[in-house]
Amino acid sequence: MTKFLAPLYALLLAGLLALGSAQAQSTLTIGTVAEASDLDPRITYDVYSYQRMYAIMEPLLIFDTDLSYQPRLATSWEFAEDGRSITFQLREGVEFHHGRPFTAEDVKYTFDWMLNPDNPAANPALYEDITNVEILDDTTVRFDLTGDNAFILNSIARLHIVPADLGENEDFGSAPVGTGPFVFESWARDDRMVLTANPDYWGGAPKVDRVEFRPIIEDTTRLIALESGEIDLYYGQPVRSELDNLEANDAIDVQRVDGLGHQYVAFNTEHPELGDARVRQAISHLIPREGIVERILEGVGSVGTGPIAPSSVYFEPEAETYPYDPERAAELLEEAGVDQLSVRLHTNENPVRPLMAEILQFEAQQIGVEIEIIVEEFGAFIDRLLDSTDYDLFLIGWSGNVDPNYAMYELFHSTGGSNFTAYGNPELDALLDEGRRLPPGSEESIATYKEAQRVLMDDAPFAFINHSEEVALSRASVEGWEAHPYSSATFANLHLVEITD
Amino acid sequence: MGITGYVLKRLISLAITLLGVSVIVFLLVHLSPGDPIRIMLGEQARPEDVQRLTELYGFDEPLPVQYVRWMAAAVQGDLGDSIRSGTPVIELVAQRLPATIELAVVALILAVVIGIPLGVLAAVTRNSPIDLASMGLALVGVAAPNFWIGLILLSTVASNVGWIPAFGRGPGVVEAFGAGLTEFRWGPLLDAGRHLLLPSLAIGTSIMAIITRMTRSSLLEVLGLDYVRTARAKGVRRAVVTVRHALRNAILPVVTVVGLQFGFLLGGAIVTETVFAWPGIGRLIVDSIAQRDFPVVQGSILMLAVVFVFVNLLVDLSYGLINPRIRYD
């Protein structure tokens, strides 16, 4: 009997030893809701890829948690008087992970690549206001601008700098090199991405030896992994019904900050009835926003008021918000001379959106408006919006609103690239164009965007449902991680995070 | 016709099956709405960029031309490159298929090891409480969806038992076993095993239930046959008759089920792979569909089909080993 058991015990012992030795290094394990698609910042645009890139690479500057600028590879910057150029002073003594010093060449290379129409750059519209990138010396770069987009700095803050000597490598997106606090080590897709600390990081050596990103799609699994300590940080929608338990759990820290996105019902304004603002206003009055936030979103998020979050200086509290009021809705329909209306509402499989649509459907039915809900897979849904006008209402979201230009121009300007409502108002166009020329944060700029929100909300091409909220979960043993309203930059300060006992 | 002729005949029909699969997969992928280039370039893509890349990847050409080009390369072992990552599809499949096969094999072994004895037990104790209990268990196993069993296992076992992980794959079983045999390091195998436990139970349960029921009914049938009674009359002990004489004949339909189920395990593990964050081919396919990464979707499904039909062939060939009276013609 002992003979039989001995190898078993040896096996167990070996296993324990193996587990023990793995813990000698400090590893920060991050469970996220999705895998990255690619780590080349030039051709990628999804949040999950960007989150990982922030640990490896750096832009010239980034958004801080209060959305002010935080210098990274640039130490300072200055706009020319006429707003037609911006000059960056670059950080000295910074090295890429492969040992070569970072210089102005790399900045020029990265932006030139984005501006070259032969390259498949993601979201090139963000950079089309840059006309030329000029190297003044090794640590000074001037960007020449059309002057048509005062918010260009925010676009620049989104793009990580790629080393000029490695940027043409075919595998750059799967084995990136940057200047950031962590060095890329390995990536087994859908399993784990491993980064190791860069002891020479200019901002100070990271406080953990390794970082592992583990994609765990299923929210429940990710939460159990956090509760059992298999992961240290949790990113992705929390299991909303579990939030109260989590907040009461001493082993888990819950951080909540207002996000930069929102969800809305949009109207195809070319539809015969929906072209009338009164009909759109009526439908907006039918959305019980408090109830939706409370019951469907379980309190994560806040009542939708417009395209700009109430926490922003640009927010206009005087703009019309269309609170839930079925009687007013019926009146508006009568004023518009609509006594019978039957429309379709398209949305995608996101778990909360069909529920929101059903509530609107029920409310509309009460005043005689029929809404047919069609739930599509995301790719098919986006294709419908991009390639056709075959829709009446659609329910979707918009995120990453770091400035009012980003929040409004593409969606509501008559030439906006994501304006799927066919909405256009010359007055609003003029305000949005004006806003792009005024210095961000200035009194005139704020006043212009407040005016724009009033015009927009009167026309009601969108019925806003909710503002988003970012929820960050971590083990209590993790210190130094701060929830970020701009979800792409959630892991921008990973070198400050440490694991205590 | 001997076994060689039979295999040859099967291989030809197998090639035709795969050709059919390739056409269906290709059409499903290309006719469903959603444009890979649009998804790749993002919401603010310029139409001229979309146009240029569409031409670059050849998506503007007529579908028959695209299909023939894909198949011509595929028969030479080239399934194309991923649109997303540029990695050859064959490489992506080679990374993922072992994880899925490993999960399927372990689940199947668990199902057989538990299912057959349970079925035998139920058959010999027919209509007893033991029989009723095993059949009740089997009923639940067949009825409950894999992912639900997975979630139940997660919330009951993984969240309470520290050494059982909630997600992810450990080292590959084959490599881990190698390390154990050559270097006497059994840690990796232990690690692989604890990661495999819950997902393999989750996907193995329904097959275990099917095997239990098949074994029971098939064995009951055989136990009623004359030769069994004769053997008993000759004084052979009941246990020996049941296992050596009856089970051997009763097992044939069970083997068929096991073989077929292996194929379903490969494809059906997709949801379970998601629940347990298992980096198998199911998740590769789901992610690729979301991104409309046509070459990856086509290539992975085709490779799954290849594995499926070959497993079926092996099952058919194994009948001869179990029951030598079976002839191939």
Side-chain angles (χ1 to χ4, degrees):
Chain A
M1 196 64 193
T2 7
K3 247 187 197 166
F4 173 69
L5 282 178
L8 258 182
Y9 282 121
L11 205 84
L12 263 174
L13 192 68
L16 290 175
L17 285 177
L19 293 178
S21 63
Q23 282 166 357
Q25 271 195 330
S26 61
T27 299
L28 183 76
T29 309
I30 303 176
T32 76
V33 62
E35 179 58 286
S37 59
D38 190 280
L39 295 178
D40 188 333
R42 298 167 292 178
I43 60 169
T44 311
Y45 60 89
D46 65 286
V47 169
Y48 311 104
S49 302
Y50 262 86
Q51 287 182 337
R52 288 154 173 82
M53 280 183 229
Y54 269 97
I56 304 164
M57 290 176 258
E58 296 175 289
L60 292 176
L61 65 160
I62 65 169
F63 301 107
D64 214 332
T65 47
D66 61 359
L67 296 184
S68 64
Y69 297 124
Q70 195 191 90
R72 281 285 160 116
L73 286 178
T75 51
S76 64
W77 47 89
E78 200 177 355
F79 274 98
E81 289 273 316
D82 61 0
R84 302 294 291 268
S85 71
I86 178 168
T87 305
F88 289 93
Q89 281 303 320
L90 305 181
R91 195 171 293 279
E92 291 180 48
V94 176
E95 276 191 358
F96 282 104
H97 299 151
H98 64 310
R100 187 176 63 72
F102 155 74
T103 70
E105 280 292 345
D106 302 302
V107 178
K108 179 172 170 58
Y109 168 77
T110 304
F111 282 90
D112 277 352
W113 197 97
M114 295 300 286
L115 297 172
N116 182 346
D118 288 337
N119 291 328
N123 290 338
L126 284 174
Y127 303 98
E128 66 191 10
D129 296 292
I130 301 171
T131 54
N132 180 38
V133 179
E134 194 74 34
I135 296 176
L136 302 183
D137 60 52
D138 261 4
T139 56
T140 319
V141 189
R142 191 188 71 229
F143 286 53
D144 294 328
L145 310 168
T146 59
D148 292 338
N149 183 2
F151 293 94
I152 187 70
L153 201 52
N154 290 354
S155 298
I156 294 171
R158 290 170 193 260
L159 189 63
H160 297 270
I161 301 302
V162 172
D165 54 333
L166 302 179
E168 300 307 312
N169 284 6
E170 269 194 17
D171 67 346
F172 188 82
S174 52
V177 171
T179 56
F182 289 90
V183 181
F184 176 87
E185 185 182 291
S186 66
W187 182 13
R189 266 172 206 271
D190 283 344
D191 183 20
R192 73 189 74 203
M193 182 184 293
V194 180
L195 315 179
T196 52
N198 170 11
D200 305 321
Y201 181 55
W202 61 264
K207 296 175 176 170
V208 293
D209 300 317
R210 283 155 55 90
V211 168
E212 277 192 17
F213 282 97
R214 308 291 305 264
I216 310 173
I217 298 173
E218 183 66 35
D219 292 338
T220 314
T221 311
R222 200 163 59 254
L223 191 62
I224 290 172
L226 179 75
E227 287 173 333
S228 63
E230 288 171 62
I231 60 173
D232 301 302
L233 304 185
Y234 173 110
Y235 183 81
Q237 271 182 359
V239 179
R240 294 194 182 86
S241 51
E242 289 290 320
L243 258 186
D244 288 344
N245 292 339
L246 288 169
E247 277 171 343
N249 185 343
D250 288 340
I252 309 286
D253 285 341
V254 181
Q255 299 180 63
R256 301 174 69 156
V257 292
D258 290 339
L260 297 175
H262 49 73
Q263 297 188 88
Y264 56 86
V265 172
F267 304 94
N268 182 351
T269 60
E270 282 175 347
H271 182 279
E273 279 92 11
L274 299 175
D276 188 327
R278 288 169 298 190
V279 178
R280 305 195 292 264
Q281 292 165 350
I283 293 176
S284 195
H285 271 304
L286 291 174
I287 302 175
R289 297 176 176 80
E290 279 88 1
I292 287 177
V293 169
E294 200 54 44
R295 294 299 171 86
I296 295 182
L297 300 178
E298 304 264 3
V300 178
S302 58
V303 165
T305 50
I308 291 171
S311 54
S312 165
V313 290
Y314 292 96
F315 174 68
E316 167 58 311
E318 301 299 317
E320 185 58 61
T321 56
Y322 306 101
Y324 176 66
D325 188 349
E327 282 169 28
R328 179 75 190 123
E331 278 171 31
L332 281 164
L333 283 184
E334 207 180 310
E335 279 172 36
V338 174
D339 53 356
Q340 204 167 21
L341 183 60
S342 178
V343 288
R344 295 166 301 161
L345 187 157
H346 283 90
T347 190
N348 71 306
E349 294 158 312
N350 177 315
V352 296
R353 288 179 186 161
L355 296 178
M356 294 175 173
E358 281 165 21
I359 288 181
L360 178 60
Q361 181 185 44
F362 172 80
E363 294 291 343
Q365 213 165 35
Q366 307 307 305
I367 61 163
V369 175
E370 292 298 325
I371 295 179
E372 181 196 353
I373 298 170
I374 301 153
V375 180
E376 292 185 319
E377 186 270 343
F378 191 72
F381 178 46
I382 285 294
D383 238 32
R384 174 180 298 280
L385 298 181
L386 285 167
D387 279 345
S388 81
T389 53
D390 183 20
Y391 47 84
D392 308 327
L393 308 183
F394 57 96
L395 200 167
I396 193 172
W398 187 254
S399 61
N401 297 320
V402 291
D403 61 57
N405 172 55
Y406 192 87
M408 297 184 74
Y409 195 92
E410 295 294 331
L411 290 173
F412 306 118
H413 195 281
S414 57
T415 64
S418 300
N419 182 347
F420 303 126
T421 57
Y423 165 73
N425 178 339
E427 190 188 355
L428 184 68
D429 281 359
L431 286 165
L432 294 179
D433 288 332
E434 176 70 8
R436 280 188 153 203
R437 282 189 289 268
L438 296 167
S442 65
E443 248 174 67
E444 307 94 290
S445 172
I446 292 173
T448 303
Y449 280 109
K450 286 191 168 186
E451 174 70 23
Q453 285 167 76
R454 287 196 294 272
V455 173
L456 174 78
M457 293 310 285
D458 283 345
D459 285 346
F462 280 20
F464 294 89
I465 302 172
N466 72 287
H467 291 294
S468 69
E469 182 177 357
E470 293 283 320
V471 180
L473 304 177
S474 53
R475 300 283 302 170
S477 55
V478 174
E479 269 170 38
W481 185 39
E482 216 180 323
H484 205 295
Y486 180 49
S487 45
S488 293
T490 296
F491 303 122
N493 289 305
L494 226 42
H495 58 295
L496 302 177
V497 176
E498 62 183 315
I499 303 175
T500 58
D501 287 323
Chain B
M1 187 159 52
I3 190 160
T4 329
Y6 173 75
V7 171
L8 212 66
K9 203 171 96 184
R10 282 293 302 267
L11 283 177
I12 292 169
S13 75
L14 197 146
I16 296 169
T17 309
L18 288 177
L19 203 65
V21 169
S22 74
V23 172
I24 293 170
V25 169
F26 182 86
L27 285 181
L28 277 181
V29 165
H30 284 265
L31 294 182
S32 62
D35 178 347
I37 305 299
R38 277 280 167 65
I39 293 171
M40 181 161 81
L41 290 182
E43 287 147 342
Q44 307 191 349
R46 292 176 295 208
E48 61 264 32
D49 290 332
V50 175
Q51 179 66 25
R52 193 169 39 79
L53 285 170
T54 304
E55 283 165 19
L56 184 71
Y57 285 100
F59 291 140
D60 56 332
E61 294 191 60
L63 281 187
V65 175
Q66 289 189 50
Y67 173 78
V68 169
R69 188 179 312 126
W70 174 57
M71 267 330 273
V75 293
Q76 297 170 44
D78 175 11
L79 291 173
D81 296 339
S82 158
I83 299 173
R84 271 322 274 205
S85 61
T87 320
V89 172
I90 204 87
E91 210 171 283
L92 289 173
V93 173
Q95 282 166 9
R96 303 308 189 80
L97 208 50
T100 297
I101 291 180
E102 169 183 308
L103 189 57
V105 168
V106 172
L108 206 57
I109 291 175
L110 276 182
V112 168
V113 164
I114 301 172
I116 292 184
L118 209 60
V120 172
L121 198 68
V124 296
T125 62
R126 187 180 183 182
N127 292 336
S128 73
I130 298 181
D131 181 22
L132 286 176
S134 343
M135 283 307 100
L137 201 69
L139 190 68
V140 174
V142 173
N146 292 345
F147 71 89
W148 182 80
I149 295 177
L151 287 172
I152 295 295
L153 286 173
L154 268 179
S155 54
T156 54
V157 182
S159 58
N160 291 312
V161 184
W163 59 273
I164 297 185
F167 73 100
R169 182 189 183 208
V173 166
V174 177
E175 296 86 37
F177 202 67
L181 288 180
T182 57
E183 304 164 42
F184 302 105
R185 286 190 301 117
W186 295 101
L189 192 61
L190 207 69
D191 195 25
R194 60 191 192 106
H195 280 93
L196 272 163
L197 195 62
L198 296 189
S200 58
L201 270 179
I203 59 169
T205 305
S206 60
I207 295 163
M208 184 204 80
I210 295 171
I211 291 176
T212 306
R213 289 163 62 110
M214 281 302 275
T215 310
R216 178 183 179 272
S217 60
S218 174
L219 191 58
L220 278 176
E221 200 177 305
V222 176
L223 283 174
L225 293 180
D226 287 348
Y227 80 94
V228 172
R229 203 174 44 214
T230 311
R232 287 283 285 147
K234 275 168 59 187
V236 183
R237 277 188 297 131
R238 192 168 168 210
V240 177
V241 175
T242 308
V243 174
R244 206 173 293 164
H245 298 208
L247 189 60
R248 180 137 190 195
N249 283 315
I251 207 81
L252 211 56
V254 179
V255 171
T256 309
V257 169
V258 168
L260 282 177
Q261 291 296 331
F262 185 76
F264 288 116
L265 272 181
L266 291 177
I270 291 176
V271 181
T272 314
E273 284 182 0
T274 304
V275 169
F276 289 99
W278 192 265
I281 200 157
R283 286 184 67 197
L284 178 69
I285 293 174
V286 172
D287 290 351
S288 310
I289 290 174
Q291 292 168 342
R292 297 294 186 276
D293 200 336
F294 292 165
V296 181
V297 180
Q298 290 167 188
S300 335
I301 294 180
L302 194 64
M303 290 311 288
L304 271 185
V306 169
V307 174
F308 190 100
V309 292
F310 272 101
V311 168
N312 277 352
L313 179 61
L314 288 180
V315 170
D316 287 352
L317 291 177
S318 74
Y319 291 160
L321 292 178
I322 296 166
N323 189 341
R325 280 180 306 171
I326 288 180
R327 291 274 168 272
Y328 297 100
D329 45 33

